[in-house]
Amino acid sequence: MNNKEPIVQMRKVRKSFGKIKALDDINLQIYPGRIIGLLGANGAGKSTLLRNIIGLYLQDEGECITFGSDAKKLGPKELAQIGYVHQEGELLDWMTVRQLISYVSAYYQSWNRELEEKYIEDFEISTKVLVGSLSPGQRQRVAILLAIGFEPELLILDEPAAALDPLARAQFLDLLLRIIQTENRTIIISSHILSDVEKVIDHAVIMKEGRILLDSSFDELRERFSQIRISALSKELPEELPFENVVHCKRSDGQAILTVKDCPREIIQEQAKSLDCWVEIETLPLEEIYKIVVS
């Protein structure tokens, strides 16, 4: 139970583009102080949902409230609390990087020069070159700086690391963890690189075909799914294994790997006592949990 007011509330939101239902009866509450992973395949509705939150798209039906205001009517006060990075990274190509940073920062009294300079150094950004000459990865680094430099309360990241190399992605994830240390700051990150996302998120929202399939804290999600590795010690494994809620089972000779859902670890251990086997219980990685949820 969260005793804070949500900063985003979506109620029965629907949005279509022609015959395509991009958002289908979306109900979602986003509370301050979280890093939320918005997960789903291309076309699942993730970008549409994010753009609806900030009023770039307007819903056909339902209600979306952001920072207490209808997303259709967000004003300077609300927008000054929101940083947004989309995967295309559209910027003003005719400016130098330094000119662009100066131009954007002039709109925000809260712009953090210390954060700006540290980011430029850590991510090796050349400020003298034209924005139009930057590679996709370099453009994305600049776009991220412009979104975080004024220290927004809500940071929305739509595939922000897609164009970054592995080292830059690792630095970026460390940066997110530093940003979230500020009380009540909230980050929503949409990404298909699930191995990266699971390092930082504390809440997961999984979408498919415009609908939300799962909305859960990451700790609760990890508790719901387990992988059991079994090896026979002195004989073959029995034909019937004493585990409930098995989602998937792979067997070979005297070994088996099972994936179980909604079965607490204590119960798994109790069920395993009847086997004369070596049993190891592991937490499933986010990528495997995602596959189960959307299948």
Side-chain angles (χ1 to χ4, degrees), residues 193-201 218 222 284-287:
I193 309 174
L194 302 189
S195 58
D196 283 352
V197 170
E198 73 174 320
K199 297 174 184 175
V200 296
I201 65 171
F218 193 37
R222 287 164 65 89
L284 275 184
L286 179 58
E287 187 168 352

Side-chain angles (χ1 to χ4, degrees), residues 2-289:
N2 199 314
N3 56 8
K4 298 179 181 178
E5 288 294 319
I7 57 175
V8 175
Q9 298 182 72
M10 305 182 80
R11 304 186 186 97
K12 297 187 177 300
V13 170
R14 297 177 185 270
K15 176 67 177 178
S16 296
F17 299 97
K19 296 182 179 179
I20 299 174
K21 289 184 178 180
L23 298 177
D24 188 5
D25 199 32
I26 295 295
N27 293 286
L28 180 66
Q29 293 186 324
I30 295 173
Y31 290 90
R34 290 179 174 174
I35 301 185
I36 299 160
L38 182 61
L39 315 175
N42 290 337
K46 305 186 302 299
S47 294
T48 303
L49 186 151
L50 295 177
R51 292 174 184 182
N52 200 268
I53 288 174
I54 58 177
L56 283 179
Y57 287 164
L58 303 181
Q59 68 270 20
D60 301 326
E61 299 177 37
E63 181 181 44
C64 180
I65 305 296
T66 304
F67 286 114
S69 177
D70 190 320
K72 298 177 182 178
K73 303 175 182 178
L74 293 177
K77 177 183 176 183
E78 292 82 23
L79 293 174
Q81 300 175 76
I82 303 170
Y84 176 61
V85 179
H86 55 84
Q87 52 190 313
E88 288 85 9
E90 294 180 5
L91 303 169
L92 298 175
D93 289 348
W94 53 272
M95 287 185 174
T96 67
V97 172
R98 176 58 71 188
Q99 288 172 333
L100 180 60
I101 295 171
S102 298
Y103 172 72
V104 173
S105 64
Y107 285 91
Y108 299 99
Q109 291 184 348
S110 61
W111 188 270
N112 187 328
R113 293 295 175 190
E114 184 178 342
L115 173 62
E116 170 194 325
E117 293 306 320
K118 183 169 183 3
Y119 184 96
I120 287 172
E121 180 181 353
D122 289 350
F123 285 84
E124 300 179 343
I125 294 175
S126 177
T127 58
K128 296 180 180 180
V129 301
L130 287 174
V131 172
S133 69
L134 297 176
S135 69
Q138 292 169 331
R139 291 176 70 90
Q140 198 70 338
R141 295 180 192 195
V142 173
I144 292 168
L145 171 58
L146 298 180
I148 67 172
F150 60 99
E151 300 187 296
E153 289 186 41
L154 173 60
L155 179 59
I156 296 176
L157 305 166
D158 190 0
E159 295 288 354
L164 301 181
D165 59 66
L167 176 59
R169 289 210 315 270
Q171 291 175 312
F172 173 61
L173 295 174
D174 288 340
L175 176 67
L176 292 187
L177 292 174
R178 293 201 301 269
I179 290 173
I180 203 66
Q181 297 305 311
T182 302
E183 187 178 2
N184 291 334
R185 185 156 294 160
T186 306
I187 299 173
I188 308 173
I189 178 168
S190 164
S191 177
H192 67 279
I193 309 174
L194 302 189
S195 58
D196 283 352
V197 170
E198 73 174 320
K199 297 174 184 175
V200 296
I201 65 171
D202 54 36
H203 198 92
V205 175
I206 297 179
M207 297 186 68
K208 181 180 181 181
E209 297 176 351
R211 301 183 68 87
I212 292 177
L213 301 182
L214 181 142
D215 179 2
S216 167
S217 79
F218 193 37
D219 286 342
E220 291 175 355
L221 185 59
R222 287 164 65 89
E223 288 177 2
R224 289 187 59 195
F225 297 90
S226 300
Q227 186 175 81
I228 308 170
R229 295 179 178 270
I230 307 169
S231 298
L233 296 177
S234 58
K235 56 184 178 180
E236 290 294 315
L237 291 176
E239 190 65 31
E240 294 291 331
L241 295 171
F243 299 102
E244 300 175 356
N245 301 333
V246 176
V247 176
H248 182 262
C249 179
K250 181 180 179 181
R251 299 177 63 132
S252 61
D253 299 327
Q255 296 184 328
I257 301 176
L258 293 81
T259 301
V260 298
K261 175 183 176 182
D262 296 328
C263 192
R265 186 166 292 221
E266 315 84 69
I267 294 178
I268 295 173
Q269 291 170 337
E270 188 66 30
Q271 293 168 346
K273 285 181 180 179
S274 62
L275 296 173
D276 181 24
C277 299
W278 174 82
V279 179
E280 182 180 20
I281 305 170
E282 300 175 342
T283 302
L284 275 184
L286 179 58
E287 187 168 352
E288 295 303 317
I289 294 174

